[in-house]
Amino acid sequence: MHIDRLERYWIIAVTAMLGVFMAALFVSVVVFRVQLPSPVGRVDPRALAETEFATPGLTDLGASRYDMHIVAKMWNFDLGQAKGEPAEVRLPRGAQVTFFVTSEDVTHGFFIEGHDANLMLLPGQIASTTVRFNRPGTYHIICHEYCGPAHANMVAAIIVE
Amino acid sequence: MQAAQPLPQRRVAPLSFPRLAMLASERTLIGAHIITALVALSIGILMGPFQTFRRSPAFMEALPDWKIPVFTYYYQALTIHGVINALFFTTFFIVGFSYFVTQRSLERPMFSRGLAWGAFGMMFVGLSLVLYAIASNQANVLYTFYPSLVAHPTFYIGLVLLIVGTWIVTANIFLTYAQWRADHPGERVPLAVFATLANYVMWCVATIGVAIEVLFMLLPLSLGWITHTDPQMARALFWFFGHPLVYFWLIPAYISWYTMLPRQTGSQLFSEPLARVAFLMLMIFSIPVGAHHLFSDPGVSAAMKGVHTILTFVVAVPSFLTAFNIGAVLERAGRSRGARGPFGWLVRQDWGNPVVAAQLAGMILFIAGGFSGLIHASLTLNIALHNTAWVPGHFHMTLAGAITLTYIAIAYWILPLIRGRALFSRPIALAQIYTWLVGMLIFGHGMGAAGILGVPRRADLAGSGYISPEAATWLNSAAIAGVILLISSVLLFINIIGTLFFSRAPVSEDGPIATGSSDGSPLWFERWGLWLGVMLFLALVAWGPLFAETLDLVNGFNVPGFRPESPVPLR
């Protein structure tokens, strides 16, 4: 099968370019420690009251480290706020928070503005990611997967002081 | 021992097709598919611009109570837009186009007209059932229909009929090919049919995933035969199918670029063997890449996500091969039109011929759309972009840009053949193509920029409290693009209706079909059984471990179904 000389050069150049892209990915994973969500565990969405998600909210682990459990449901995020209070959580600057999030009903999304936090929330699965909040400000937690009529109003806020 | 003498065979005389018309048998079958596709498109397409208005802060400030006409519930309109455009318009169009290409390239009728009409009937009933389910507000689940959202059973039955219909189409095309092969031993099948065969092989492997999801999880759940499901397993099965789906749309556009554009521009294909390599690679590597839609999923390991990322870069190779091959076609065309210098041919193209211009406009969008796809297929960048407006920005430049514009180019010559009259208006066609190009570029850029700022996709943003002023600018620009695209869609339908009912001039453009092939590609390229084995092996390697880690019969399958309107589980 004949391959034209110029076309052969093109194939080599393109393959090399894709190789560079892949190397960049490798570096970002190995050197910069960018991590993707990996399985943490399963949970029975019908019996969240018997699990670590019974009382959602912030747990102070000391040394600016926190765990945060959140339950997503149609159509709000339960961060442990009292009834009628806005879904907000206040954090000191520099806080490093490990989120554990699950859904009680349908598929939801979890996206924190301005930070590398992007999870699908599936009932039955615990999703987890760790985020450090260095800049003061208000960052929305946005549900980014369709979950019903009030999907676009499903939002919470993280206030970094 | 003496070799057995081959029995004297009656060679079927090649069917001769009229150049500027269709045989009656062609007209009815292909016409039914193409016109059903275009009617479906007219329903689906209108919903798009209306969504950009609901998502534009400036528009909703000016008209606070504005709702999408007829389908007032935003997500109902979005479901129609996705399901009808992406699943039904595309499939009907592709099947009609495949019949035309197969019959004319092989110079013979389809193996069975009965099978062809049977498949059409199934797909048409499927379309009707799905339209009923969505229009009656019982299937507001979007085109990805992720459980534990549950739609009315007619929605899933409609999808099953569509898919089973395409399996029958596949059988019919392969049986036609087998007949041709018996008459033409040792010959290479024409490139357009080669690509069509590759497309349906890929499609049959891919649809196994969604068939399992719908038949064993969603439909029984919707009917109440089972009470629980596993959303992570469903998403894995869906995306086993969901990525090859985009190549199922793309390959017919590539057939037009590789085998028809050279004729239409007075050029010739640069390298036919490498075109075949590109189609084989698209077929093989479209399957083991689907987990790049699952980068943010909690139940899939980072290792499997990495494997699928690497293979995703491999599936970009055939598109780069295409860029070279089609670039060379266009360079030759430009130079024969008098282009000078190294880059003059980029400008000296046949921009005034709708059939060529629509494909060129599609290619411009495909460059932007293709690179945006490589960007969010990179797992690290995907964290910033997954499920943001970036994603629809990307696939409106690829699917709604390159692919749909190429289908429109095909419609602009195939509709006149079906009707036996010339295209209604070339100036309207050109206005439609260029408004589409400009509109889609503005839309793609606006959605991309909004996505980088964190605006989610699939959200009825009117009234949501999280849009920053900076993001509002880009959402408003997407709404301006919506106006331009609405105008473009109206122009498209003026031309379709005009061609079908009001055109008087005789047909002037023929179906650009090549019947022979004389390239130097090895004959083993047509060992479809071999390729099927390779595909299944790669699917096992790339998807086997993923399904194994997702499947949990003890602690999984514990999620009840929900209607989108209510947080109370169904059963």
Side-chain angles (χ1 to χ4, degrees):
Chain A
M1 194 174 88
H2 170 75
I3 298 176
D4 184 82
R5 186 171 50 89
L6 285 174
E7 196 159 23
R8 201 158 53 229
Y9 292 163
W10 169 261
I11 293 169
I12 294 166
V14 163
T15 311
M17 184 186 77
L18 293 172
V20 170
F21 286 1
M22 247 184 267
L25 272 187
F26 191 72
V27 168
S28 61
V29 170
V30 172
V31 179
F32 297 108
R33 306 254 165 226
V34 178
Q35 295 209 330
L36 287 180
S38 247
V40 179
R42 284 176 181 265
V43 67
D44 189 338
R46 299 161 300 181
L48 289 182
E50 293 150 29
T51 67
E52 54 188 300
F53 290 97
T55 52
L58 204 59
T59 314
D60 192 340
L61 304 177
S64 273
R65 285 167 184 273
Y66 300 85
D67 275 354
M68 174 109 194
H69 285 79
I70 300 178
V71 176
K73 52 181 88 166
M74 295 157 109
W75 294 272
N76 59 66
F77 289 105
D78 185 353
L79 319 175
Q81 70 270 26
K83 223 178 167 67
E85 293 296 307
E88 284 175 3
V89 64
R90 289 174 183 277
L91 292 169
R93 199 173 144 188
Q96 182 175 311
V97 184
T98 300
F99 292 91
F100 296 94
V101 199
T102 193
S103 162
E104 188 179 277
D105 36 48
V106 298
T107 306
H108 295 282
F110 183 89
F111 180 84
I112 305 177
E113 285 178 330
H115 294 83
D116 289 337
N118 193 330
L119 301 169
M120 295 301 297
L121 307 179
L122 307 179
Q125 298 276 351
I126 302 171
S128 179
T129 187
T130 300
V131 183
R132 184 187 280 279
F133 294 93
N134 287 326
R135 286 163 290 137
T138 300
Y139 304 100
H140 291 115
I141 301 175
I142 298 170
C143 172
H144 66 35
E145 187 55 79
Y146 168 66
C147 56
H151 161 52
N153 300 324
M154 184 166 163
V155 61
I158 291 172
I159 299 161
V160 182
E161 297 173 321
Chain B
M1 202 172 97
Q2 205 173 8
Q5 280 293 107
L7 290 169
Q9 274 193 344
R10 191 168 59 88
R11 260 181 89 103
V12 180
L15 199 57
S16 97
F17 289 93
R19 210 173 70 83
L20 292 174
M22 275 189 181
L23 300 176
S25 59
E26 271 186 299
R27 172 175 296 141
T28 46
L29 183 65
I30 293 160
H33 284 87
I34 299 289
I35 289 169
T36 306
L38 293 173
V39 170
L41 179 68
S42 70
I43 300 168
I45 207 172
L46 281 178
M47 302 299 131
F50 297 151
Q51 285 151 36
T52 66
F53 303 160
R54 285 285 300 182
R55 285 171 62 93
S56 156
F59 186 97
M60 292 314 292
E61 202 173 307
L63 297 169
D65 297 324
W66 187 84
K67 285 200 166 104
I68 294 171
V70 188
F71 304 105
T72 50
Y73 179 46
Y74 178 88
Y75 301 102
Q76 185 184 21
L78 182 56
T79 305
I80 290 199
H81 185 67
V83 171
I84 303 303
N85 280 349
L87 300 179
F88 284 92
F89 155 65
T90 49
T91 305
F92 274 97
F93 197 92
I94 291 165
V95 171
F97 181 63
S98 303
Y99 286 150
F100 185 83
V101 164
T102 306
Q103 294 192 130
R104 291 226 168 190
S105 305
L106 302 183
E107 298 179 287
R108 61 192 313 130
M110 294 306 296
F111 173 80
S112 161
R113 283 180 62 74
L115 273 185
W117 280 110
F120 176 79
M122 284 183 92
M123 286 160 48
F124 195 84
V125 172
L127 171 63
S128 312
L129 288 177
V130 166
L131 269 178
Y132 159 75
I134 304 175
S136 61
N137 248 321
Q138 300 179 88
N140 297 319
V141 293
L142 310 191
Y143 102 100
T144 43
F145 48 87
Y146 297 139
S148 46
L149 287 178
V150 175
H152 192 263
T154 48
F155 179 79
Y156 303 114
I157 295 169
L159 293 177
V160 169
L161 288 175
L162 176 77
I163 301 235
V164 175
T166 59
W167 289 347
I168 297 173
V169 172
T170 308
N172 206 352
I173 289 174
F174 263 87
L175 289 167
T176 313
Y177 166 68
Q179 286 182 323
W180 176 90
R181 172 56 70 214
D183 285 352
H184 300 78
E187 280 182 45
R188 287 172 195 84
V189 76
L191 179 60
V193 180
F194 182 86
T196 301
L197 295 168
N199 204 16
Y200 284 94
V201 170
M202 177 191 79
W203 178 251
C204 282
V205 174
T207 45
I208 295 169
V210 76
I212 293 172
E213 185 202 4
V214 171
L215 285 175
F216 294 102
M217 298 174 76
L218 289 169
L219 184 57
L221 186 67
S222 174
L223 289 166
W225 296 350
I226 58 172
T227 53
H228 293 81
T229 185
D230 192 302
Q232 182 68 76
M233 178 54 91
R235 277 175 62 83
L237 286 166
F238 182 85
W239 287 110
F240 181 91
F241 153 79
H243 200 76
L245 172 66
V246 310
Y247 292 105
F248 182 64
W249 305 326
L250 181 63
I251 285 178
Y254 274 9
I255 290 174
S256 182
W257 296 1
Y258 272 113
T259 72
M260 299 177 174
L261 191 63
R263 269 270 296 281
Q264 290 158 337
T265 55
S267 178
Q268 68 191 71
L269 185 56
F270 184 80
S271 167
E272 196 170 316
L274 278 173
R276 288 177 195 250
V277 171
F279 284 118
L280 286 178
M281 286 187 78
L282 284 174
M283 173 182 82
I284 291 167
F285 289 104
S286 63
I287 305 281
V289 299
H292 69 218
H293 296 261
L294 306 175
F295 283 157
S296 291
D297 279 38
V300 178
S301 66
M304 290 318 298
K305 290 168 182 172
V307 169
H308 283 240
T309 301
I310 292 166
L311 290 162
T312 299
F313 284 115
V314 178
V315 84
V317 170
S319 285
F320 281 112
L321 291 178
T322 304
F324 186 93
N325 223 335
I326 303 303
V329 168
L330 293 177
E331 180 179 353
R332 201 171 280 172
R335 291 198 190 284
S336 71
R337 295 173 67 84
R340 289 160 193 276
F343 300 111
W345 58 272
L346 286 167
V347 185
R348 277 305 249 308
Q349 295 295 335
D350 198 357
W351 302 101
N353 175 0
V355 165
V356 174
Q359 297 181 72
L360 296 175
M363 288 172 196
I364 293 170
L365 284 165
F366 200 56
I367 294 170
F371 275 104
S372 67
L374 269 180
I375 289 168
H376 67 196
S378 304
L379 52 84
T380 46
L381 292 167
N382 189 269
I383 293 178
L385 299 172
H386 173 77
N387 262 6
T388 68
W390 171 282
V391 179
H394 154 73
F395 67 68
H396 278 78
M397 291 189 286
T398 50
L399 169 58
I403 293 169
T404 305
L405 271 173
T406 304
Y407 289 8
I408 289 172
I410 294 165
Y412 281 161
W413 61 256
I414 210 169
L415 263 187
L417 288 176
I418 290 167
R419 180 63 186 86
R421 293 276 184 273
L423 185 65
F424 178 64
S425 164
R426 285 167 68 102
I428 291 178
L430 289 171
Q432 181 272 316
I433 291 159
Y434 293 117
T435 44
W436 193 286
L437 170 64
V438 171
M440 220 47 102
L441 280 174
I442 298 173
F443 179 78
H445 180 254
M447 293 287 275
I452 291 171
L453 294 171
V455 174
R457 68 188 284 201
R458 306 185 138 177
D460 184 12
L461 294 178
S464 72
Y466 48 71
I467 300 302
S468 66
E470 207 184 353
T473 310
W474 297 118
L475 291 169
N476 292 335
S477 85
I480 293 170
V483 175
I484 300 171
L485 290 164
L486 188 58
I487 294 168
S488 187
S489 316
V490 171
L491 295 174
L492 174 65
F493 291 107
I494 289 175
N495 232 338
I496 292 171
I497 292 166
T499 305
L500 290 177
F501 299 108
F502 302 106
S503 173
R504 295 283 169 263
V507 180
S508 55
E509 192 137 17
D510 68 347
I513 296 284
T515 51
S517 175
S518 55
D519 70 45
S521 64
L523 277 170
W524 51 263
F525 276 11
E526 283 178 57
R527 296 274 298 273
W528 301 106
L530 169 72
W531 301 129
L532 192 63
V534 171
M535 288 168 78
L536 292 175
F537 173 74
L538 274 177
L540 196 69
V541 170
W543 284 97
L546 197 155
F547 284 123
E549 67 192 23
T550 307
L551 185 67
D552 188 337
L553 292 171
V554 181
N555 299 311
F557 291 91
N558 53 7
V559 182
F562 291 83
R563 294 261 181 246
E565 299 78 24
S566 165
V568 179
L570 283 174
R571 284 171 191 94

